């Protein structure tokens, strides 16, 4: 199968170095201490954070640091075939573990001893998948590079980690840094950034898998994933930025800016109405703007 | 390029939005200077980095902190908070102050408190209390006295209703000059309000309709701009006359 056509475009029309569209929203779950919704292309994930709170089971309490718990679930309607998925199957247990370990490395757990932080991640929409996505036994890589913690995962897992980071930032939990995640792979002798479902299930080497890949190409692919992570981190920064800028604007009566933002929203075909946004601002902070427009708006402010 | 020796300490991030991991100050370029760090900042070797998302604030001469609004409260000594009694023990009352752990209110921490006259609080009693001790790894300790041992305004809040919001709104309600919404409501209606920095506020009035009106107006005003607040309040106050 041809994953990159002679013109250098991928199956979904992206270039090899191009990411899928990112979209994020914070405060998506009103009952949680922090929550976020994160979209990467057709993958849509919601994350909710509760805590730090008292440890529920005394036996699990850690005396010198916080206990981090993570639960990953996939909604029944998230994939093409609507099947009842048993809770706690191997796949979701593995992903829960991966998210938990990643976040444990990032949260300053020693500041909140004898407490518990719960992270709930739910996949609302998994990219196109009609079959179960095959997950190989992966070694997850965490490297400290240029002040940011990067992790490399494929498909939905990237979106899950990004959503969890944003939710933790919203909850105000002390963190070393923002963890961001992005996948990259190597198909048709081209390094590809941010694989979609079809590319992911093509069986090519993926930085999370231990398939055979020459060292120099691996470095290229790794470099690409790193760049992708940086892009995601920038985006997350801007989501936080924009929301706070909005609040400041409101406080200083710079209403014009708010309108400008909303106009942009409409240009992008947002579904929320202007009146709704004005009335319920915090719950409707939807920014369906793509990356470039987003930039333009922040510069305008 | 040579780094310019800065005469003042302020970082270029001041009043900007910061996210975890941002390095706001490099200590290696500053010698013989003292800086004070508030919430949301930490020292990592030679650099001061951010650990909570929010706005970086700075006051002269040397204080830095990150200001943000959260749903969960982190106890800090000296804060005045609203709490609900959850359990009574022989030595302490257990009080929920919406923090990471339940707080202890010693039964003797009342004005003129002795073993003889221990107050009787039922589960669910709402209290206005002061945080005395808040160390990590320990339950915070509360008191119903001010520093000089007087009851001051602390104690049980009878009747009325407690509303929950964010810590940011609480700070706005307590700010000076007074929060415009509160001022405008106070001109037309008579009510009593107690604000805890833990994101709770209690409202009491002679009529329960006033309590609901004031509570809702304050909760809704958090997301409105100054102009919108004005319009909203005008409409609201006209409708009740």
């Amino acid at each position: 199968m041809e994953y990159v056509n002679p013109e250098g475009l991928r199956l979904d029309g992206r270039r090899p170095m191009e990411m899928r569209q990112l979209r994020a929203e914070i405060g998506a779950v009103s009952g949680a201490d922090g929550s976020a919704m994160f979209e990467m292309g057709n993958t849509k994930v919601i994350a909710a954070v509760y805590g730090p709170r008292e440890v529920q089971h005394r036996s699990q309490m850690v005396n010198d640091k916080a206990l981090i718990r993570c639960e990953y679930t996939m909604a029944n309607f998230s994939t093409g075939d609507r099947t009842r998925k048993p809770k706690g199957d191997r796949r979701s247990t593995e992903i829960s573990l991966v998210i938990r370990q990643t976040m444990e490395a990032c949260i300053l757990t020693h500041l909140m001893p004898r407490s518990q932080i719960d992270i709930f991640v739910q996949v609302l929409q998994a990219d196109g998948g009609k079959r179960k996505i095959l997950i190989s036994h992966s070694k997850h890589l965490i490297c400290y590079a240029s002040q940011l913690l990067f992790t490399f995962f494929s498909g939905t897992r990237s979106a899950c980690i990004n959503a969890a980071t944003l939710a933790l930032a919203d909850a105000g939990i002390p963190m070393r840094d923002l963890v961001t995640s992005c996948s990259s792979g190597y198909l048709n002798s081209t390094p590809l950034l941010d694989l979609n479902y079809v590319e992911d299930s093509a069986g090519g080497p993926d930085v999370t898998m231990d398939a055979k890949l020459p060292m120099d190409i691996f470095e290229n692919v790794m470099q690409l994933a790193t760049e992708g992570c940086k892009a995601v981190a920038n985006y997350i920064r801007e989501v936080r930025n924009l929301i706070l800028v909005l609040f400041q604007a409101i406080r200083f009566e710079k209403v014009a800016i708010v309108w400008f933002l909303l106009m942009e929203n409409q240009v992008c075909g947002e579904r929320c109405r202007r009146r709704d946004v004005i009335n319920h601002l915090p719950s409707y902070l939807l920014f369906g703007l793509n990356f470039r427009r987003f930039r333009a708006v922040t510069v305008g402010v | 390029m040579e780094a310019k020796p800065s005469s003042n300490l302020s970082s270029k991030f001041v009043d900007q939005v910061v996210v975890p991991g941002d390095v706001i100050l490099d200590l290696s370029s500053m010698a013989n200077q003292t800086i004070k760090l508030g919430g949301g900042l930490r020292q990592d070797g030679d650099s001061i980095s951010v650990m909570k998302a929010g706005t970086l604030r700075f006051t002269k001469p040397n204080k830095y902190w990150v200001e943000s609004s959260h749903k969960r409260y982190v106890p800090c000594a000296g804060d005045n908070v609203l709490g609900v009694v959850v359990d009574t023990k022989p030595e302490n009352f257990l009080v929920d102050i919406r923090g990471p752990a339940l707080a202890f209110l010693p039964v003797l921490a009342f004005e003129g408190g002795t073993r003889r006259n221990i107050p009787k609080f039922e589960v669910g009693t709402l209290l206005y209390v002061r945080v005395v001790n808040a160390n990590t790894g320990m339950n915070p300790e509360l008191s119903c006295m001010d520093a000089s041992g007087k009851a001051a305004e602390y104690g049980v809040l009878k009747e009325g209703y407690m509303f929950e919001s964010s810590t940011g709104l609480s700070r706005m309600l307590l700010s000076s000059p007074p929060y415009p919404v509160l001022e405008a409501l106070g001109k037309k209606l008579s009510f009593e309000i107690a604000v805890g920095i833990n994101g709770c506020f209690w409202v009491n009035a002679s009529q329960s309709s006033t309590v609901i009106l004031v509570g809702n107006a304050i909760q809704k005003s958090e997301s409105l701009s100054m102009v919108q607040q004005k319009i909203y309040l005008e409409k609201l106050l006209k409708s009740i006359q």
Side-chain angles (χ1 to χ4, degrees):
Chain A
M1 197 170 159
E2 199 184 51
Y3 291 98
V4 183
N5 71 10
E7 281 91 59
L9 293 174
R10 283 149 78 173
L11 294 170
D12 50 7
R14 283 183 294 155
R15 297 191 180 281
M17 306 282 185
E18 200 176 328
M19 295 188 76
R20 292 174 291 176
Q21 197 192 38
L22 298 179
R23 229 191 107 174
E25 179 196 337
I26 60 171
V29 183
S30 60
D33 290 324
S35 58
M37 192 271 297
F38 202 92
E39 263 179 60
M40 289 177 94
N42 288 330
T43 307
K44 190 173 185 176
V45 176
I46 200 160
V49 170
Y50 295 83
R53 57 182 178 186
E54 295 226 348
V55 182
Q56 278 169 343
H57 302 289
R58 273 293 166 104
S59 56
Q60 291 178 340
M61 190 160 80
V62 197
N63 269 325
D64 57 344
K65 56 183 186 180
L67 172 74
I68 315 278
R69 287 178 62 216
C70 179
E71 200 176 300
Y72 165 94
T73 46
M74 266 177 105
N76 287 340
F77 50 80
S78 61
T79 48
D81 50 344
R82 187 182 271 265
T83 49
R84 188 174 283 275
K85 295 179 187 70
K87 209 179 148 193
D89 58 339
R90 277 191 62 170
R91 181 182 132 77
S92 56
T93 319
E94 191 202 324
I95 299 185
S96 302
L97 191 74
V98 163
I99 300 173
R100 204 196 79 206
Q101 286 174 343
T102 314
M103 291 308 160
E104 248 173 10
C106 165
I107 296 171
L108 294 160
T109 47
H110 63 275
L111 293 181
M112 300 159 284
R114 293 156 167 259
S115 63
Q116 170 181 335
I117 297 167
D118 291 309
I119 306 168
F120 295 94
V121 181
Q122 184 161 44
V123 178
L124 296 182
Q125 190 180 317
D127 186 4
K130 276 188 178 144
R131 290 172 294 142
K132 260 191 179 167
I133 303 168
L134 288 168
I135 297 286
S136 73
H137 292 282
S138 61
K139 286 180 201 148
H140 77 277
L141 300 158
I142 299 182
C143 69
Y144 289 78
S146 66
Q147 292 290 318
L148 278 168
L149 280 160
F150 295 122
T151 53
F152 304 91
F153 300 108
S154 58
T156 41
R157 282 190 285 181
S158 302
C160 289
I161 287 171
N162 293 334
T165 308
L166 206 50
L168 285 168
D170 184 35
I173 287 164
M175 290 195 285
R176 279 198 181 84
D177 224 317
L178 291 172
V179 193
T180 51
S181 167
C182 183
S183 61
S184 68
Y186 189 74
L187 288 166
N188 291 151
S189 53
T190 325
L192 301 176
L193 178 65
D194 197 16
L195 307 180
N196 66 19
Y197 172 71
V198 185
E199 292 163 346
D200 200 13
S201 44
D206 175 341
V207 275
T208 56
M209 298 184 194
D210 26 22
K212 281 185 187 126
L213 192 63
M215 202 55 207
D216 49 337
I217 296 174
F218 174 77
E219 271 166 16
N220 274 342
V221 176
M222 192 79 160
Q223 180 65 32
L224 202 58
T226 313
E227 289 302 320
C229 285
K230 276 184 191 161
V232 176
N234 278 335
Y235 181 77
I236 288 180
R237 266 156 215 266
E238 294 199 21
V239 170
R240 294 281 327 179
N241 260 338
L242 207 63
I243 286 164
L244 286 162
V245 165
L246 208 66
F247 273 121
Q248 281 173 348
I250 291 164
R251 212 163 291 163
F252 298 120
E253 299 182 33
K254 288 182 189 160
V255 187
I257 299 165
V258 181
W259 286 100
F260 178 44
L261 277 173
L262 296 173
M263 266 158 54
E264 280 281 340
N265 250 352
Q266 282 194 332
V267 171
C268 301
E270 248 330 297
R271 268 178 303 174
C272 54
R273 279 172 300 157
R274 257 197 316 218
R275 191 153 31 93
D276 289 344
V277 177
I278 285 292
N279 285 343
H280 311 277
L281 213 59
S283 54
Y284 271 86
L285 287 171
L286 297 163
F287 297 109
L289 317 166
N290 66 29
F291 199 45
R292 248 163 278 131
R293 284 220 178 93
F294 225 95
R295 243 304 135 77
V297 173
T298 17
V299 169
V301 170
Chain B
M1 207 176 87
E2 220 176 273
K4 219 167 53 183
S6 55
S7 53
N8 59 342
L9 288 162
S10 67
S11 141
K12 65 178 166 124
F13 284 98
V14 170
D15 290 332
Q16 301 267 313
V17 174
V18 288
V19 292
D22 284 349
V23 176
I24 58 152
L25 281 175
D26 188 14
L27 297 182
S28 58
S29 65
M30 323 185 342
N32 287 333
Q33 284 170 330
T34 320
I35 55 166
K36 287 180 181 171
L37 301 183
L41 296 173
R42 71 192 181 101
Q43 184 181 359
D44 186 10
D46 247 358
S47 56
I48 302 296
S49 58
V50 179
M51 57 184 188
K52 278 182 189 177
T55 321
L56 184 72
R57 299 280 183 213
F58 169 73
T59 51
K60 281 177 182 171
N62 53 12
K63 282 181 191 160
Y64 286 94
W65 75 97
V66 176
E67 196 177 277
S68 49
S69 176
H70 299 301
K71 286 184 181 166
R72 194 163 285 268
Y73 165 69
V74 180
C76 185
D79 284 355
N80 295 325
V81 296
L82 291 182
V84 179
V85 177
V86 182
D87 199 3
T88 51
K89 292 270 156 66
E91 293 290 317
N92 294 299
F93 294 107
L94 295 187
V95 183
D96 177 19
I97 53 167
R98 304 220 306 165
L102 292 178
F104 288 146
L105 173 64
V107 291
L108 298 178
F110 295 87
E111 189 182 348
T114 55
R115 280 256 150 249
R116 296 271 175 85
N117 57 353
I118 288 171
K120 281 203 175 73
F121 292 148
E122 281 174 27
V123 170
T125 312
L126 184 66
L127 300 170
Y128 182 63
V129 284
R130 193 166 63 95
V131 180
V132 180
N133 255 329
N135 300 328
T136 49
M138 284 167 63
N139 294 54
E141 195 188 317
L142 307 173
S143 166
C144 265
M145 295 182 290
D146 62 3
S148 57
K150 291 280 181 297
E153 261 97 54
Y154 302 106
V156 188
L157 298 173
K158 282 177 196 135
E159 297 174 335
Y161 190 78
M162 187 186 78
F163 296 87
E164 295 187 348
S165 62
S166 64
T167 53
L169 181 66
S170 284
R171 261 200 311 273
M172 280 202 278
L173 284 171
L174 292 167
S175 65
S176 65
Y179 192 48
V181 175
L182 213 53
E183 229 179 357
L185 285 169
K187 275 181 190 151
K188 283 275 164 130
L189 302 162
S190 68
F191 60 91
E192 215 181 335
I193 187 166
V195 183
I197 198 76
N198 59 343
C200 299
F201 64 95
W202 166 89
V203 183
N204 191 18
S206 52
Q207 284 176 310
S208 43
S209 60
T210 316
V211 175
I212 298 167
L213 190 120
V214 171
N216 285 345
I218 291 172
Q219 276 183 328
K220 201 173 176 190
S221 68
E222 188 182 7
S223 56
L224 300 178
S225 77
M226 296 275 247
V227 179
Q228 286 170 336
Q229 280 176 0
K230 226 178 194 172
I231 298 168
Y232 172 68
L233 280 173
E234 265 171 27
K235 239 191 231 167
L236 187 83
L237 295 171
K238 215 174 263 174
S239 70
I240 55 166
Q241 272 169 358

